[in-house]
Amino acid sequence: MSSSKRLFSLNPSFHHYLALSTGALAVLAGILHYIISGRADPLHCNSLLTRGTWLDENHRNWQPDGCMLHTYQSKDTTSCLASRRVVFIGDSVTRSLYFHFMHIVDPKLPDTPPDDDHKHSNYSFTSDSVTRLDFFWDPYLNTSGTLSLVHGHLPSPGVDNRPAILVLGSGLWYLRYATTGGLPAWEANMESLLESVSAAQRKPADEVIILPVEDIVSSKLSPERAETMHSSDVDAMNSDLHHRINPPSPAIYSIFSSSPAALPVSLPLVFNKMLDDASTQDGLHFSDDIVKAHANILLNLRCNHVWPKTSPFDKTCCRAYPLPSFLQLAIIVAVVVYGPVMWYLAYTRNPTKSISFAGEYRPAVVFGLSIGLIFIADRTGFWLKEQKQFNPWTFGFLMLCSLAAGLTTVKRADKDMGFLNRDQTDEWKGWMQVAILIYHYLGASKISGIYNPIRVLVAAYLFMTGYGHTTFYIKKADFAFLRIAQVLVRLNLLTVVLVYTMDVNYLSYYFSPLVSMWFLIVYGTMAIGSQYNDRMPFLLSKIAISMGMFTWFMTETWMLDTVFAFLEQIFSIHWSAREWSFRVILDLWIVYFGMLLSIAVIKIQTYRLTDHHLWPMAVKAAVVISIFVLLWFFAFELMQESKFTYNAWHRYISFLPIVAFITLRNASSSLRSCSSRAFTFIGRCSLETFIIQYHLWLAGDTKGVLVLLPGTRWRPINFVISTIIFIYISNHVSHATGELTTWICGNKESSLPTSTRNVTRHTASSGSSAESVSLATDVHTSKDGDSHPVKPDSPVRPARRWVDRLADGTLPQREPGYKVWYKEAGWIPGVKAKLVVWIGVMWLANSLWAST
């Protein structure tokens, strides 16, 4: 029984029922949300203006219901407000909002009135982006200048300086000074203003915003203010505004009926919901953080829809998802329907075959339908997206729950499974992946003490790349093109398909490109002069030269810029050399440390150093040193000023905690013989979980979280439901991708060489020869003397372990379902021909994409 099935001993199909039922619940929730509220507010503008909650206690992260709020900075406002005019008119509350808004547009401008003696004055500033920001003191909204703007009269005939945003705020002064006429006068004035806006042939501004009357904290008001200003009056005024701007529907059941058209005015009633009684000193004016959040909502309301419709799609309030281009839509349709069409063609050739999906058809069907679901999740509004929020208690709780799941599923083998055996490396990848997923879900990247260890976990994946592939090439001595194709296709198939279907940059899925690049570097290093790989000075010299040359290449930025410029010119590939350089240099040497450890382990096994009488003492010393190294590392990384300070040290020290962990994990035969089934299960689909999380567990290309059940209060339940669906799909996509890799790359007719005590010449199927290195025993050797075939460890490996089947020569023959594309006696293209065709197709797609 497989490890994934043993997790559910009550019923082998329990996980299928659980995942499918939660998936059905998520789909039903999406449909009901659209019917009830999504149809009336598809862009979530109403949610932005009326509903939300604080995710933190410091009033820094406001969450509108069901959409992601963008935190605007000065550079973000240029495309929306450059060379435009923004006008605020009103009282002291409006003035405070004006200064915070202006400070976001240009941080060099003041965020408070520069002169306290002239608070009741007009202000005008111009930002670096030539945005003119005006404030007019008019607490009653009845001056001639205000009325002129509201009626849309331009001060200079023939010159269109109509504001991009017009903000009007009033009400409190009508309550404070009864001589103004009080509530009746306010109502009459607001009715007149709203009628003027509604009757104007042209809106007075791109976005007209009337601020709600701000809630007051009566207990903190001065006696004079408390005498005339009452919360009940404020509530009545805001209710009147709401019903004037958004007339209620006359239908009793208005879900399926259309409401009367609202006035072309926005009323952010949510401003009052954002207030906190503890954040005001005078009962009227609130803290800078809250007012800044108000200003940020205005920017999201006006500017989100003018942002380029490109990834990341992390601004989902008042912003529509772009329709896919014809080419993108064609690719999506082709990927989704390929499997079902293939099944149908095979079925029509053999009608007696069972209509149920057989194994040979399932990979393409599962893969295609999963891509379709991923697209729906993160490129449509069917499900909601919300922001991340880090909470140390939640982070600790999830980590402890994951640890408990890992420990309760520990299994013990009957014998020593050997150093860094397959189950152990899968387990290692599994718990690291769980930690990285929790880190991403909670947005913990800003916490230096968490970011630094996570960087080491990413380095550990790359370390295993160097270790696993070096072990393979030393022990198997196979440098044929077939394995290169299999590894690269396996690593990149899902990523490349998502690049085209989700319209994202390939380098944004940085793990697949990183591992692919390092695999090619390891291959090149080991393949050059491979017949002399058994000579240690030569092998170490090759690694040192490779390390030096690659370091030189990455530090000379012009070389990478030239390569990326060439790719853009010839293949229409638009990659950021700066971003890629950061990713690579951060872990510049860790793969080489993995290669060196692989050589060291093989030599230890070759000379049987584990049988030496001093070996137990050496192990004990290594354990003690490893404990001190780990303690030192955590103390060191916690003492760093910021994660940027740590990044400068990372490439020099990351190998220390990795080697220390490996030493402790393999310190005894008992530790080597046990592994966690839960972590092993996750480890075997770690590539898929890392990639699919971008869109199906997280959202907005990792910038937010996916919300399947509407409502921020249901976030814990959402976490459980989305996790079940996410892990289930990742596992099945892992299986499907492994099988599709086998189909794309074909099979190898002869088995690969195995390590023996004598050096033998092996001729690979491609015709190239390589020399097998003489080894006394395999790396995976138990203490009782039983040897196990080498199973090269790499950072990603499907549950079907196609590399092992390749090494053992037991790859299955091409499934009959795929023969619908070929005649039995017809020409079947080889792996090189297939890859050339696919590269040509991608080149053509890139060229056409650039022109759309």
Side-chain angles (χ1 to χ4, degrees):
M1 185 182 295
S2 67
S3 60
S4 61
K5 290 184 178 180
R6 284 199 298 267
L7 289 173
F8 308 100
S9 57
L10 294 178
N11 188 329
S13 299
F14 174 76
H15 59 293
H16 292 295
Y17 299 139
L18 179 63
L20 294 177
S21 60
T22 53
L25 175 62
V27 172
L28 179 62
I31 294 174
L32 290 177
H33 172 264
Y34 174 78
I35 294 174
I36 296 173
S37 60
R39 185 172 64 94
D41 186 28
L43 302 185
H44 308 290
C45 287
N46 187 56
S47 296
L48 174 68
L49 296 174
T50 59
R51 300 185 301 275
T53 184
W54 288 109
L55 296 179
D56 65 331
E57 298 178 353
N58 299 322
H59 306 132
R60 302 286 178 84
N61 193 5
W62 175 258
Q63 175 60 68
D65 264 9
C67 64
M68 294 173 62
L69 194 69
H70 180 63
T71 301
Y72 271 84
Q73 299 178 3
S74 176
K75 59 183 176 61
D76 301 331
T77 65
T78 302
S79 60
C80 173
L81 302 177
S83 302
R84 296 296 304 275
R85 187 183 181 204
V86 177
V87 179
F88 286 71
I89 306 175
D91 53 18
S92 60
V93 173
T94 311
R95 182 186 60 210
S96 177
L97 179 61
Y98 161 77
F99 277 100
H100 282 86
F101 184 98
M102 182 172 64
H103 192 67
I104 295 177
V105 174
D106 189 347
K108 290 182 291 187
L109 298 178
D111 59 355
T112 57
D115 186 357
D116 290 341
D117 296 332
H118 300 86
K119 289 183 177 181
H120 300 170
S121 302
N122 300 335
Y123 296 94
S124 182
F125 295 90
T126 302
S127 71
D128 286 343
S129 59
V130 201
T131 300
R132 180 180 170 186
L133 300 117
D134 295 327
F135 171 75
F136 298 105
W137 174 261
D138 183 7
Y140 302 112
L141 298 181
N142 60 1
T143 65
S144 59
T146 300
L147 297 178
S148 176
L149 275 171
V150 169
H151 286 84
H153 296 159
L154 300 177
S156 302
V159 178
D160 186 2
N161 63 346
R162 191 171 63 101
I165 302 176
L166 174 61
V167 181
L168 306 173
S170 177
L172 292 179
W173 276 55
Y174 282 96
L175 296 179
R176 176 69 180 88
Y177 301 103
T179 57
T180 61
L183 282 177
W186 176 85
E187 290 179 358
N189 188 45
M190 295 309 300
E191 181 179 7
S192 174
L193 289 175
L194 291 174
E195 287 179 353
S196 298
V197 173
S198 178
Q201 294 183 352
R202 189 181 185 189
K203 286 179 63 176
D206 294 346
E207 191 70 47
V208 179
I209 301 165
I210 293 184
L211 299 179
V213 182
E214 187 172 75
D215 282 346
I216 58 177
V217 181
S218 300
S219 61
K220 294 187 177 183
L221 291 175
S222 64
E224 296 79 8
R225 288 173 173 171
E227 184 177 351
T228 58
M229 303 173 72
H230 306 288
S231 295
S232 58
D233 291 335
V234 172
D235 292 340
M237 296 166 81
N238 285 326
S239 177
D240 180 77
L241 270 179
H242 175 68
H243 287 90
R244 289 181 186 276
I245 296 174
N246 301 285
S249 173
I252 298 178
Y253 301 101
S254 59
I255 294 178
F256 298 99
S257 63
S258 58
S259 300
L263 298 182
V265 175
S266 297
L267 176 66
L269 290 174
V270 74
F271 280 14
N272 283 337
K273 296 181 180 180
M274 300 169 71
L275 303 179
D276 183 358
D277 290 356
S279 298
T280 178
Q281 294 181 350
D282 61 3
L284 284 178
H285 304 95
F286 288 80
S287 67
D288 291 344
D289 289 333
I290 292 179
V291 180
K292 184 178 180 180
H294 289 170
N296 194 54
I297 287 178
L298 298 186
L299 284 167
N300 276 264
L301 178 67
R302 171 63 184 90
C303 298
N304 279 1
H305 74 281
V306 302
W307 270 75
K309 298 297 191 293
T310 57
S311 63
F313 291 94
D314 58 344
K315 311 163 195 68
T316 61
C317 298
C318 273
R319 187 187 187 204
Y321 284 99
L323 294 175
S325 65
F326 176 80
L327 178 59
Q328 182 184 0
L329 182 62
I331 294 175
I332 294 171
V333 172
V335 171
V336 173
V337 307
Y338 174 78
V341 168
M342 182 184 65
W343 169 84
Y344 175 76
L345 292 176
Y347 178 74
T348 56
R349 290 173 177 268
N350 189 4
T352 61
K353 189 177 181 65
S354 172
I355 196 171
S356 62
F357 287 119
E360 62 266 27
Y361 316 118
R362 187 174 293 114
V365 174
V366 169
F367 187 87
L369 294 181
S370 298
I371 294 296
L373 183 63
I374 289 171
F375 181 87
I376 291 173
D378 206 27
R379 290 297 182 267
T380 71
F382 184 75
W383 285 309
L384 307 178
K385 291 87 182 176
E386 291 187 353
Q387 293 133 217
K388 302 177 182 180
Q389 175 59 39
F390 176 76
N391 182 291
W393 295 105
T394 304
F395 182 83
F397 174 76
L398 293 177
M399 285 295 188
L400 288 176
C401 289
S402 302
L403 178 61
L407 293 177
T408 54
T409 57
V410 169
K411 67 172 182 177
R412 185 180 298 276
D414 297 332
K415 53 189 176 182
D416 189 341
M417 298 301 294
F419 181 83
L420 281 180
N421 59 79
R422 177 169 299 280
D423 284 344
Q424 184 186 130
T425 53
D426 284 340
E427 174 201 84
W428 188 9
K429 290 183 297 180
W431 69 257
M432 290 195 302
Q433 185 64 24
V434 169
I436 292 173
L437 289 173
I438 296 174
Y439 163 86
H440 283 163
Y441 193 88
L442 295 178
S445 61
K446 296 180 180 179
I447 313 300
S448 177
I450 299 176
Y451 168 88
N452 302 338
I454 293 296
R455 286 303 329 160
V456 173
L457 300 189
V458 175
Y461 276 100
L462 299 178
F463 181 93
M464 280 191 279
T465 297
Y467 178 88
H469 291 305
T470 302
T471 300
F472 179 88
Y473 284 124
I474 289 179
K475 298 192 69 70
K476 300 299 181 182
D478 173 53
F479 298 94
F481 178 80
L482 177 60
R483 185 172 186 270
I484 301 175
Q486 288 173 319
V487 172
L488 292 180
V489 171
R490 178 65 184 88
L491 289 173
N492 291 280
L493 179 60
L494 175 61
T495 303
V496 169
V497 171
L498 287 177
V499 164
Y500 291 102
T501 55
M502 304 298 287
D503 190 14
V504 295
N505 193 294
Y506 173 67
L507 295 188
S508 64
Y509 304 103
Y510 68 89
F511 184 73
S512 291
L514 266 182
V515 178
S516 301
M517 181 198 72
W518 280 115
F519 164 70
L520 293 174
I521 290 175
V522 173
Y523 171 83
T525 303
M526 299 300 295
I528 297 174
S530 59
Q531 63 271 28
Y532 303 112
N533 280 350
D534 58 330
R535 301 178 184 181
M536 193 53 51
F538 177 78
L539 183 57
L540 294 177
S541 298
K542 284 201 305 179
I543 294 176
I545 293 172
S546 173
M547 185 176 181
M549 292 182 63
F550 188 69
T551 301
W552 172 67
F553 176 83
M554 292 306 303
T555 53
E556 295 291 334
T557 57
W558 66 269
M559 300 181 69
L560 187 63
D561 291 337
T562 302
V563 172
F564 278 24
F566 172 81
L567 292 175
E568 182 174 357
Q569 184 69 26
I570 303 300
F571 298 101
S572 299
I573 296 174
H574 307 282
W575 291 345
S576 170
R578 180 180 178 182
E579 175 68 19
W580 184 242
S581 177
F582 167 77
R583 294 289 185 186
V584 174
I585 291 178
L586 203 57
D587 295 299
L588 186 58
W589 301 314
I590 194 64
V591 172
Y592 292 106
F593 285 118
M595 297 177 70
L596 294 175
L597 180 65
S598 171
I599 297 170
V601 169
I602 292 175
K603 286 303 177 182
I604 288 173
Q605 297 293 341
T606 301
Y607 295 108
R608 295 187 178 275
L609 296 183
T610 55
D611 296 334
H612 195 280
H613 68 281
L614 294 179
W615 183 258
M617 184 180 298
V619 170
K620 292 179 182 178
V623 168
V624 173
I625 294 173
S626 297
I627 293 174
F628 277 107
V629 167
L630 287 178
L631 292 176
W632 168 85
F633 171 77
F634 284 111
F636 175 82
E637 65 95 2
L638 288 172
M639 289 189 299
Q640 297 306 301
E641 181 181 357
S642 68
K643 65 180 185 180
F644 305 105
T645 306
Y646 170 79
N647 281 344
W649 287 95
H650 177 74
R651 63 174 132 165
Y652 302 102
I653 64 173
S654 61
F655 75 97
L656 293 173
I658 294 173
V659 174
F661 168 78
I662 293 173
T663 301
L664 296 175
R665 184 63 179 84
N666 292 271
S668 68
S669 59
S670 298
L671 291 173
R672 291 192 296 270
S673 63
C674 65
S675 61
S676 168
R677 289 175 291 173
F679 289 148
T680 299
F681 173 76
I682 298 298
R684 288 174 180 166
C685 58
S686 58
L687 173 63
E688 286 67 32
T689 55
F690 188 89
I691 296 173
I692 293 176
Q693 67 162 328
Y694 277 62
H695 309 293
L696 192 58
W697 194 54
L698 304 177
D701 303 295
T702 74
K703 304 300 182 181
V705 296
L706 186 65
V707 177
L708 303 177
L709 298 181
T712 305
R713 63 185 180 276
W714 302 113
R715 185 168 282 200
I717 299 177
N718 266 301
F719 175 81
V720 174
I721 292 177
S722 62
T723 299
I724 293 172
I725 297 172
F726 164 62
I727 297 298
Y728 183 80
I729 290 179
S730 296
N731 178 48
H732 281 270
V733 171
S734 175
H735 284 263
T737 308
E739 296 300 326
L740 291 174
T741 299
T742 301
W743 172 70
I744 293 172
C745 296
N747 306 316
K748 194 162 185 175
E749 297 178 357
S750 60
S751 61
L752 296 177
T754 57
S755 301
T756 61
R757 292 174 181 264
N758 300 320
V759 178
T760 57
R761 176 74 63 179
H762 170 73
T763 303
S765 62
S766 64
S768 62
S769 62
E771 193 167 312
S772 177
V773 179
S774 109
L775 298 171
T777 179
D778 290 337
V779 173
H780 300 167
T781 304
S782 61
K783 287 186 175 296
D784 58 12
D786 293 336
S787 60
H788 307 278
V790 172
K791 299 176 180 180
D793 296 308
S794 58
V796 285
R797 196 179 331 25
R800 294 298 299 274
R801 301 175 184 174
W802 59 271
V803 173
D804 294 326
R805 289 184 280 130
L806 170 64
D808 296 336
T810 58
L811 282 171
Q813 295 299 314
R814 189 188 307 277
E815 300 291 354
Y818 295 102
K819 291 180 180 179
V820 299
W821 300 106
Y822 309 102
K823 300 292 185 180
E824 284 292 335
W827 173 74
I828 298 180
V831 60
K832 294 182 180 179
K834 290 180 181 178
L835 293 182
V836 167
V837 170
W838 281 113
I839 291 174
V841 169
M842 288 189 291
W843 172 81
L844 179 61
N846 291 342
S847 301
L848 295 176
W849 213 286
S851 62
T852 57

